[in-house]
Structure formats: structure tokens, C-alpha cells
Amino acid sequence: MGAVLSVHDLAIEFPTPRGFVRAVDGVSFDVAAGETLALVGESGSGKTLTALAVLGLVPAPGRVVTGRAFFQQRNLLRLDEGELRALRGRALSIVFQDPLSALHPLLTIGRQLTEVIEAHEPAAKRAAPARAAAALAEVGLLDADRILAAYPHELSGGMRQRVLIAMAVLLRPALLFADEPTTALDSALQRSVLELLRALAHKNGMAVVLISHDLERVAEFADRVQVLYAGRTVESARTDELFRRALHPYTRGLLASSPRLDGALSFPLPSIPGQPPDAGARPAGCAFHPRCAFVQEGCRLRVPELAEVRGASGRRSACLEVARLVAEAHA
Amino acid sequence: MNAAPLLEVQDLVKEFPRPRRGWLAPRVAPLRAVDGVSFTLARGQALGLVGESGSGKTTVARLVLGLERASSGSIRLEGRELTTLSRAEWRPLRRRVQLVFQDPAGALDPRHTALDCVAEGLAIQRLGKPRERRLRALELLVSVGLAPRQANLYPHEFSGGQRQRIGIARALALEPELLVLDEPVSALDVSIRAQILNLLHELQERRGLAYLFIAHDLAVVRALCPRIAVMQHGKLVECASRDELFARPQHEYTRALLAAAPRAR
């Protein structure tokens, strides 16, 4: 199936006192209809900026310096604000982390939902209340009358996040970004919200880009995973293959260092030493090299390109020492 | 040697009054945030307290720290009743029970260097001369894995994981016997979490600290705590050894929590 969104070589810069800093540096990805892609990375990896760039929402003074983002035969990075506004909320949509700050505190849920419909489809004004109620039912909020009349603070965190998802998918977008959609929620709710997103992707043929710092949490709900580190893609793979064997030392470290319910219980727990670099102070060569267990001299000098891994068909990794990881996995 | 456990909590209740919905409206029953909670914690032991937000686990922590007054029930530190103490009586005890926050950024004064943040507690308790305090603070910063040259940096110059290290050093300054850790790793990047858990484990071994470890993430609690208590709606619904809890969860809610965790692959 063709890609709903095709991002190629995206780069985003921010001015700093020491010159321009590339917060996102050459990120590419595709996502198809009905597919869920997880963009996974830690703070400073550029995952959220990547999504904001596609939506035309990079905060000033940041700016997109290169790249293309094709969506419905148009390069989103070339559209003006008016054209983007017509698409946002309608054809492409986003769910943010904190549902309380994303909802207007003084308007009822019903009003906020019908406003979305009226803004994009003025002709649908009379049908708007019924559609709002149907949208709530779709996200599992069955007590529609009460919720439509409620203000955001009267709902629980889980209900608010469902309302936001209802709002985001109300106009049947072809593409949905979900930026840490469950971080503010409890674990049982996290699972149900991710299940809901996945169900909506399948039912509506919607492409979903799930943005998260927590690989373990989202992996189960994503078809493919793309791991970002310091503004670049370090690995991309089908989820099941990634978990069978990670082919980048950073991904491997992430998987090893996430505490798991069935993990070994001996200390020290496996961990990645050091910390992710600031965008303005990235090490030369591979940005991960100071923390890497596989580091060689060349890693300090050359930035590895994301490339197909020899001996592992269909896998892509940006590591000069990837052959050793492949060999180790076979051993 | 005192035979009483380090911390003994019995039938603890905390109620918060709820506002009426109007001045003519009937009185509303108070909210029972903590509803008859009992547990004990021995010296050097780690007890995990898990539950969703709103389950009352943070209120339990605040009661143990003396930041809230219990509605009823008892909290004993080595046999000494805490719930009836006045502020003045609390003061000397406070150093024995210290808190590590979830958000290290919010817990550190942005105008103080790392060294001052750690030395502050010593100053408040009037321990040692200023020079001794600074030396002690420096030792602590090094013991949590920071470099001596970082002691004079300000909180914003550190990463989240490093700030949490400062928060831990600060909590250790008064040589407490019990650390209350309220979601100490949930705000940290995944690659940093294990580092901090390793540090907490190492400090516990080295110093014989007891931990009351509050978190919603069962996998994190499991790593550090041989005993785990599960809270729901203010009640402690299950308290068992780690092995027992994971092998044979007794309460329906514990089973739901286990089911909601990321699936093993």
C-alpha cells in the first residue's frame, strides 16, 4: 500500500548564541493507511519536533531547513499557513500529552466537539450534536449526554484523553499524530487508550504516528518502530523484528535497561552510561559513541548513515559496527 | 537494639473535607483519601507502594513525613507515636525520614548551586560549621555519582537524571534511616532510569537505608522492593512478598495491574 505520509530528509534548526543547532537532522519515514508507526526517542531526540514540522507547527525561532513531507500529493513543508490550517484537524490531526491543557477549560465538551465540525464543515451545523455524540461512543464514552454537558475539569484524566482522541478523529483524518498520548495516564488507562488508537487506525484506515519515549510501552501497539537519537534515526524495523534482535547499540541498550515484569532481578540492572547530549553539544562522529559499548575509533570521526543492514534483509541501522551486532545475534 | 520495627503504620485514615455544592446544599461526606491502611517496614528494608493516581499512596507518604495530620490511626517510628506530635516535637525527628521527589527540577532551588542545595538541609538543622557542611555536601554529591567540578553548577545546568542524583544527595545529607521515594524515576528518560535504580540499590546496601518506594510502574517497584503493597481507593488491598505477588496475585485489582503492564515478548 502507498504511503499516506512520506517524510524525506527533514532537518530543523534553532538559533543559539553559538550558532545554528540542528535539532532534527535528516529524518525520513513513511507511514501507510491503517498502519501505526512508533517514533521512539528520549528527550532531545527530535521526535516531537518531527511531528510538529509535518503539521507546520515548529515553534519560532526554529525553522525547517531541508526536507519534504508528502501528504495527499502535496509537500506539507511548502504550504502556507492558510492551506495548513485547512488540513489540520481535518485531514491530519494530533493528540497531545496533557489533555487538560489541550481542552478549553470554560467550554463544555459538547461545544468543543461541535466547534470542530462547524469550523471545517459549516454545512454540517445541524447534524453536529449528533455527530459529537457518535464520536464519543466511538472512543468508548457511552454516557454521551452527561459528557457533552460536562466541563473538562469534571472528567477524569482517562475520559479527557478519550475526548481529545474523539475530537482528533472526528473528521476522519487520514493521518493522526499522537504525542505521548498516555504519559499522563495510569497504567491500566495507558493500555486502553493505546488499544483504542490501534482499533481506530484499523477501522478507519487511518495512519498513526505514535510518539513516545517508552519503547516497551508502545511497541505492542505499533507495526513498525523508528528509534531516534540526538536528532537522527538510528534504527527502523518491524516491531517484532526489533524485539527479536535490535541492530543498533542504543536500541539494544534501551531494551536491556527497561525494567520488565519478567526481567532478571540482579543488581546492577543493565543500563546505558552517560546521558543524551544537548542539541548544541553533540559529540563529533556518531552522537551515541560516548555511551556505546561497541565504540571503535571510526565512530568518533564519521557520522554513520542509516542504511540497509547486510545479512539482515529489510533492516536499517545507522551504526558503523553493525556487522558485529549481526554476528553476535547469529552466534 | 530496639525491637520495634522502624516504621509501623496502623489503621491509618486521612479524610479531606469536601466543599458543599452550594450554601444550601446538604453536607457532603468527607473524602477518605486513606482508609484504614496498615503496614510495617523494618530497618534496611524496601517496601513498594503501588496504585494508580488517586489511590492514596502519595497521601500515605505525606502522612509518614508529617506533612499532613492523620484523621485517625497511628504511625510509629521505632515505637514512637508520630501522629500526636506537635511541629516542634517533629523537628528533630524530621532528619530521620527524608523525601525524594518525582520532579527533581521542581524540588531544587534554581538560585542555589548543587552544593548549596545539598548543604541547605544541614544548615537548617544547624549541623556543623559552614565549611564542614560544604565538605559533607561535596562528599555526598560524589557518592551519588557526580563529579566534584559539577558541585558549583546550578540545577538548570544538569540533565534530569543528574538533578535526581542531587535530590537524592540532598535527602541523604541528614543521614536518614528512612527514605520516602515518590515516583523517583518516572520523570526520567528510559536510559537513565536503570542508572538511578542502581544508585538507589547501592545506597541502600551501603547505608542500610529503609525505603518506602511509591510508584505506579510495577516493573520499577519489582526491581527494588522485595515486598510490595497495592493500594486502590485509599485501601491497601494486598501486601505480599514480590515473588508471591507476581506468582499468585490475590486481589482482582492486583491482577488488573499486572495485566496492564507492557507484555513480555
Side-chain angles (χ1 to χ4, degrees):
Chain A
M1 196 177 315
V4 170
L5 174 72
S6 182
V7 173
H8 186 73
D9 200 25
L10 177 70
I12 302 168
E13 283 188 352
F14 279 84
T16 73
R18 283 165 296 176
F20 282 91
V21 156
R22 286 217 165 181
V24 174
D25 190 8
V27 167
S28 304
F29 62 89
D30 286 349
V31 56
E35 185 186 42
T36 299
L37 168 72
L39 284 186
V40 173
E42 300 183 279
S43 44
S45 63
K47 58 189 190 302
T48 296
L49 268 180
T50 298
L52 292 178
V54 171
L55 292 158
L57 296 173
V58 171
R63 60 192 183 99
V64 173
V65 284
T66 64
R68 300 186 296 277
F70 275 98
F71 175 76
Q72 298 179 343
Q73 286 94 47
R74 290 198 284 178
N75 181 359
L76 296 174
L77 304 180
R78 297 269 154 185
L79 300 186
D80 64 34
E81 180 53 29
E83 293 167 310
L84 281 168
R85 198 172 299 145
L87 285 175
R88 278 198 301 260
R90 185 188 182 82
L92 46 107
S93 201
I94 184 162
V95 178
F96 288 104
Q97 176 174 348
D98 178 6
L100 197 52
S101 61
L103 289 166
H104 193 301
L106 300 180
L107 298 178
T108 62
I109 300 300
R111 176 80 195 285
Q112 298 189 54
L113 283 166
T114 51
E115 253 182 11
V116 173
I117 299 170
E118 287 164 19
H120 288 279
E121 296 175 20
K125 189 162 180 169
R126 286 183 57 191
R131 274 177 66 181
L136 290 180
E138 188 172 35
V139 296
L141 294 173
L142 299 177
D143 192 4
D145 288 342
R146 184 178 75 83
I147 292 167
L148 288 171
Y151 291 90
H153 73 269
E154 296 176 307
L155 303 179
S156 70
M159 288 165 107
R160 283 196 291 261
Q161 192 56 286
R162 280 172 191 268
V163 166
L164 272 196
I165 292 172
M167 202 177 283
V169 302
L170 194 55
L171 301 173
R172 293 275 173 272
L175 173 64
L176 177 75
F177 285 94
D179 187 4
E180 303 276 9
T182 67
T183 306
L185 302 179
D186 297 325
S187 49
L189 288 170
Q190 289 188 358
R191 168 166 293 274
S192 68
V193 165
L194 291 170
E195 272 166 359
L196 169 65
L197 285 174
R198 189 166 178 84
L200 289 171
H202 285 171
K203 183 160 88 71
N204 300 338
M206 179 172 69
V208 176
V209 180
L210 194 55
I211 296 162
S212 178
H213 71 283
D214 190 343
L215 181 53
E216 292 275 347
R217 180 86 256 181
V218 296
E220 197 183 326
F221 301 93
D223 302 296
R224 280 186 303 125
V225 177
Q226 181 150 338
V227 183
L228 303 187
Y229 187 80
R232 298 178 68 92
T233 301
V234 295
E235 179 164 10
S236 83
R238 265 186 25 217
T239 311
D240 52 342
E241 292 186 350
L242 189 86
F243 275 79
R244 201 172 309 130
R245 53 169 180 166
L247 290 180
H248 191 282
Y250 174 62
T251 318
R252 208 188 255 205
L254 272 187
L255 290 175
S257 60
S258 308
R260 289 161 52 160
L261 287 183
D262 58 348
L265 276 173
S266 56
F267 278 91
L269 306 170
S271 68
I272 307 178
Q275 57 223 350
D278 281 342
R282 289 195 187 126
C286 172
F288 187 62
H289 87 251
R291 309 176 70 188
C292 184
F294 290 79
V295 65
Q296 295 293 315
E297 206 42 50
C299 305
R300 301 173 217 277
L301 305 171
R302 272 200 301 143
V303 179
E305 293 294 322
L306 182 70
E308 293 255 333
V309 177
R310 217 179 288 166
S313 65
R315 298 291 299 271
R316 294 164 72 78
S317 168
C319 178
L320 298 174
E321 295 296 314
V322 69
R324 278 163 65 206
L325 277 91
V326 174
E328 217 173 76
H330 283 305
Chain B
M1 196 70 202
N2 198 326
L6 180 64
L7 181 71
E8 189 172 15
V9 170
Q10 239 169 32
D11 293 325
L12 191 62
V13 172
K14 176 65 185 175
E15 292 184 332
F16 292 103
R18 273 190 286 209
R20 296 196 216 179
R21 293 190 84 97
W23 62 278
L24 279 177
R27 259 179 212 293
V28 195
L31 176 77
R32 277 209 164 197
V34 176
D35 191 0
V37 165
S38 305
F39 62 85
T40 60
L41 179 53
R43 292 189 156 276
Q45 201 190 39
L47 173 68
L49 195 53
V50 298
E52 307 291 21
S53 65
S55 63
K57 54 193 199 302
T58 293
T59 307
V60 169
R62 293 180 58 81
L63 289 163
V64 168
L65 288 155
L67 301 173
E68 300 273 0
R69 199 161 260 284
S71 304
S72 68
S74 112
I75 303 170
R76 282 191 286 270
L77 189 65
E78 275 188 333
R80 178 159 181 202
E81 183 60 49
L82 300 181
T83 53
T84 51
L85 295 183
S86 68
R87 254 172 206 282
E89 289 169 316
W90 244 107
R91 206 181 159 86
L93 288 172
R94 187 146 285 165
R95 59 181 292 191
R96 302 180 60 183
V97 185
Q98 289 285 309
L99 172 66
V100 174
F101 294 91
Q102 169 177 6
D103 175 15
L108 301 172
D109 188 328
R111 296 161 303 175
H112 285 179
T113 63
L115 192 76
D116 292 338
C117 285
V118 175
E120 194 186 5
L122 296 167
I124 290 170
Q125 293 273 351
R126 304 209 174 85
L127 295 173
K129 301 193 180 86
R131 204 186 125 75
E132 290 164 6
R133 286 181 208 145
R134 294 175 64 80
L135 214 62
R136 175 86 191 108
L138 189 62
E139 275 171 25
L140 282 162
L141 285 172
V142 171
S143 79
V144 297
L146 294 171
R149 64 182 158 76
Q150 292 174 303
N152 289 320
L153 301 179
Y154 290 87
H156 75 268
E157 297 176 88
F158 291 95
S159 67
Q162 289 172 327
R163 278 197 291 264
Q164 192 55 290
R165 288 176 192 272
I166 300 170
I168 292 167
R170 185 179 136 101
L172 293 177
L174 297 169
E175 297 185 21
E177 291 138 89
L178 172 61
L179 273 195
V180 177
L181 301 139
D182 192 359
E183 300 275 7
V185 299
S186 59
L188 302 178
D189 277 325
V190 175
S191 78
I192 306 300
R193 257 181 225 173
Q195 289 179 13
I196 297 296
L197 290 175
N198 284 335
L199 172 66
L200 288 172
H201 182 260
E202 183 200 320
L203 290 170
Q204 193 194 12
E205 299 245 296
R206 213 163 61 207
R207 295 167 173 260
L209 287 164
Y211 287 161
L212 181 58
F213 189 103
I214 296 170
H216 69 278
D217 184 343
L218 263 177
V220 165
V221 171
R222 173 180 176 270
L224 209 61
C225 305
R227 266 176 71 231
I228 299 173
V230 180
M231 278 191 79
Q232 183 192 26
H233 306 321
K235 288 195 167 71
L236 212 153
V237 297
E238 185 162 359
C239 183
S241 77
R242 166 169 56 202
D243 298 341
E244 191 64 27
L245 190 89
F246 282 91
R248 281 172 294 279
Q250 296 299 307
H251 196 273
E252 189 189 346
Y253 180 64
T254 312
R255 286 195 286 269
L257 277 183
L258 289 171
R263 296 262 191 275
R265 285 164 180 280

